[in-house]
Amino acid sequence: MTERPLRRDAERNRQRLLEAARELMARDGLGVPYEAIARAAGSGMGTLYRRFPQRQDLVDALFAEHVEAVAALARQALRADDPWTGLTWFMERQFELEADDRGLSELLRGARQGTDRLAQGCARIAELAAQLIERAVRAGRLPSHVVPGDLETVHLMVGAVMDASRQHDPARWRRALAVSLAGLRHAEPTRPREEEEADTHPRKAPVPPASPNGEHAHHVPAP
Amino acid sequence: MTERPLRRDAERNRQRLLEAARELMARDGLGVPYEAIARAAGSGMGTLYRRFPQRQDLVDALFAEHVEAVAALARQALRADDPWTGLTWFMERQFELEADDRGLSELLRGARQGTDRLAQGCARIAELAAQLIERAVRAGRLPSHVVPGDLETVHLMVGAVMDASRQHDPARWRRALAVSLAGLRHAEPTRPREEEEADTHPRKAPVPPASPNGEHAHHVPAP
DNA sequence: CACAAAGTGGAAGCGTTTTTCAACTTGAGA
DNA sequence: TCTCAAGTTGAAAAACGCTTCCACTTTGTG
């Protein structure tokens, strides 16, 4: 199992490839073409493939420490005196990192599957985030119906705003985060499952009054 | 400019193409390959291209009435006795439609540019939605710092959750909507622009206690 | 029926990205 | 210095989707 070290020139090329990938993925996301990375590094595609046969290998090498940094943020947030402050602080810091790095943003949002370092890192973050939620709930700073899954939802929501506005208005995600977090504190509990019976009931009358003009409800084309 | 009617067989093919596109776009989104549509309709790609040279033409023909239906929802919501109820009712109905139709969902979320029917329809919806917001603000049912743009933000947010969970948990968007709407009502006003000076101030101390290693006093164990 | 116009199908050409490969280069140990 | 395994390269092939094109078929009218 001795991993003999790379030849000197090979190691240098590897570093160049990593740097190029780092920059491009931060700007354009994880899906940046291999060819673009190789060109930016001044190498051929063959070299890139030799070092990182799977894109996952490249992503792994690049983002391991970033993911670890986010986990560290979460751990620090868990030490905050006030659980709610800790939670909001964590979310803000996390999104600040994501705002500067589209690759990281995609990584943290996409559901990880592999057994690699990254997947474990993300799992650890999820666990810590769950603790942040639970701690805030226990302290009475969040309603008890808020669950860890709601944080993932918030992550999706704010991330979408970030994606849509990265060019146009890079700070817009802060508003989305403020709305989402306020929403967590004030949302009504989700209605318990009555969906099944709902269909047997007469469909809930449209909340707005049955049209002042006396027309009937507008026809909505069936999907 | 007399548009002579299509030959009988051509018209029949056109309908088949529309049906196929309808179904595929509802399931897979607006980007479904032309080839798949043609195959599903039992036609060749040439026929599809002859009738709908631009994808936009196809989308136009397919979604005009759906967009109009959403606008109608908004108009109806504006007639609700209670502005807040009208707003939430509208959002729920709108997303219910989107939940059943991925194409519509993409359409309403993507920024429209063209001068075609759809673009105008979307613009009309945006206008009506803005009125819904303003009406709720005037009635004191929403804080005055909430602006029409916030509704677009909510649209992005809930839409992202819908996209991520359409397979796994198709009703999850309802939770996202509840959180978002509650957030609109309870969010703090976004801080006025002091960003410029912020950098001159000592960077706001991390909210959790400043000790990364901190075995200092303020460690509050939460059992 | 005959025939011109309308309509059709699907292969070919193009562009993009992934992945492989065989010929060529180079570092470093003997 | 010599040698060869490690390393490199870029072209080529495969996969995918868009778009065009033209030989062929169908319609409906005279």
Side-chain angles (χ1 to χ4, degrees):
Chain A
M1 302 287 277
T2 312
E3 290 198 6
R4 74 160 55 169
L6 288 179
R7 235 164 63 173
R8 190 128 33 89
D9 58 336
E11 180 57 32
R12 191 172 50 233
N13 283 333
R14 202 184 100 100
Q15 291 305 327
R16 285 204 193 116
L17 286 168
L18 283 171
E19 272 173 52
R22 176 96 277 284
E23 203 152 323
L24 288 176
M25 284 189 173
R27 206 190 54 192
D28 300 333
L30 301 179
V32 66
Y34 257 36
E35 196 273 338
I37 299 174
R39 185 156 25 82
S43 287
M45 317 206 357
T47 307
L48 182 48
Y49 266 93
R50 165 175 270 261
R51 293 294 156 240
F52 308 99
Q54 311 288 331
R55 188 174 288 264
Q56 189 63 34
D57 301 329
L58 187 50
V59 173
D60 246 55
L62 282 176
F63 289 97
E65 60 182 21
H66 292 253
V67 168
E68 202 35 63
V70 173
L73 283 180
R75 272 188 284 267
Q76 193 177 351
L78 275 170
R79 294 199 297 272
D81 290 329
D82 175 44
W84 174 250
T85 306
L87 178 59
T88 59
W89 179 85
F90 166 66
M91 293 299 274
E92 243 176 75
R93 289 299 159 280
Q94 180 183 31
F95 283 119
E96 278 170 4
L97 291 180
E98 289 187 32
D100 288 335
D101 191 331
R102 192 168 150 198
L104 182 63
S105 176
E106 288 179 9
L107 187 62
L108 292 177
R109 222 166 330 145
R112 289 303 107 203
Q113 66 289 13
T115 335
D116 42 36
R117 265 193 302 182
L118 285 197
Q120 293 183 356
C122 291
R124 217 174 314 141
I125 291 173
E127 212 171 296
L128 292 163
Q131 290 177 34
L132 281 168
I133 287 282
E134 284 157 7
R135 199 166 80 111
V137 168
R138 271 200 303 274
R141 308 289 263 115
L142 269 180
S144 62
H145 61 78
V146 173
V147 295
D150 288 326
L151 254 203
E152 289 168 35
T153 298
V154 169
H155 201 192
L156 281 175
M157 297 196 294
V158 178
V161 172
M162 223 167 63
D163 283 350
S165 62
R166 206 175 237 115
Q167 308 302 325
H168 164 64
D169 178 4
R172 181 145 161 243
W173 63 266
R174 291 183 187 274
R175 173 69 168 169
L177 179 60
V179 167
S180 301
L181 290 177
L184 282 188
R185 289 181 93 170
H186 298 281
E188 312 263 308
T190 305
R191 234 179 271 121
R193 289 269 156 236
E194 329 170 0
E195 299 294 322
E196 329 292 332
E197 13 180 1
D199 280 339
T200 73
H201 297 179
R203 181 59 178 152
K204 199 191 278 176
V207 178
S211 64
N213 285 342
E215 319 156 272
H216 294 300
H218 290 263
H219 175 65
V220 175
Chain B
M1 287 309 233
T2 314
E3 291 197 7
R4 72 159 59 170
L6 289 179
R7 234 165 62 174
R8 189 128 32 90
D9 57 337
E11 180 57 32
R12 191 172 50 233
N13 283 333
R14 202 184 99 101
Q15 290 307 326
R16 284 204 193 117
L17 286 168
L18 283 172
E19 272 174 53
R22 176 95 277 283
E23 203 152 322
L24 288 177
M25 284 189 173
R27 206 190 53 192
D28 300 334
L30 301 179
V32 66
Y34 256 36
E35 196 272 337
I37 299 174
R39 186 156 25 82
S43 288
M45 315 198 26
T47 306
L48 183 48
Y49 266 94
R50 166 176 271 258
R51 292 296 156 237
F52 308 100
Q54 311 287 332
R55 188 174 288 264
Q56 189 64 32
D57 301 328
L58 188 50
V59 173
D60 246 55
L62 283 176
F63 289 97
E65 62 180 20
H66 292 254
V67 167
E68 201 36 63
V70 173
L73 284 180
R75 272 188 284 267
Q76 191 178 351
L78 275 170
R79 295 199 297 272
D81 291 329
D82 174 45
W84 174 250
T85 305
L87 178 59
T88 59
W89 179 85
F90 167 67
M91 294 299 274
E92 241 176 78
R93 288 300 160 278
Q94 180 183 31
F95 283 119
E96 278 170 3
L97 292 180
E98 289 188 32
D100 289 335
D101 191 333
R102 190 168 152 198
L104 182 63
S105 176
E106 288 178 9
L107 187 61
L108 292 177
R109 220 166 330 146
R112 288 303 109 202
Q113 66 288 15
T115 334
D116 42 36
R117 266 193 302 179
L118 285 197
Q120 293 183 355
C122 290
R124 216 173 314 141
I125 291 173
E127 212 172 296
L128 292 164
Q131 289 177 33
L132 280 169
I133 287 282
E134 284 156 7
R135 200 166 79 112
V137 169
R138 270 200 307 274
R141 309 289 263 114
L142 269 180
S144 61
H145 62 78
V146 174
V147 295
D150 286 326
L151 253 203
E152 290 169 34
T153 299
V154 169
H155 202 188
L156 280 175
M157 297 197 293
V158 178
V161 172
M162 224 167 61
D163 283 350
S165 61
R166 210 182 287 270
Q167 309 302 324
H168 164 64
D169 178 4
R172 183 147 160 239
W173 63 265
R174 290 182 188 274
R175 174 69 169 171
L177 179 59
V179 168
S180 301
L181 291 177
L184 283 187
R185 288 182 92 172
H186 298 282
E188 313 262 308
T190 305
R191 232 180 272 119
R193 287 270 155 236
E194 331 169 0
E195 298 294 320
E196 329 293 332
E197 15 180 358
D199 280 338
T200 74
H201 297 179
R203 179 60 176 152
K204 199 190 280 177
V207 178
S211 53
N213 285 339
E215 307 82 349
H216 295 316
H218 37 247
H219 182 65
V220 181

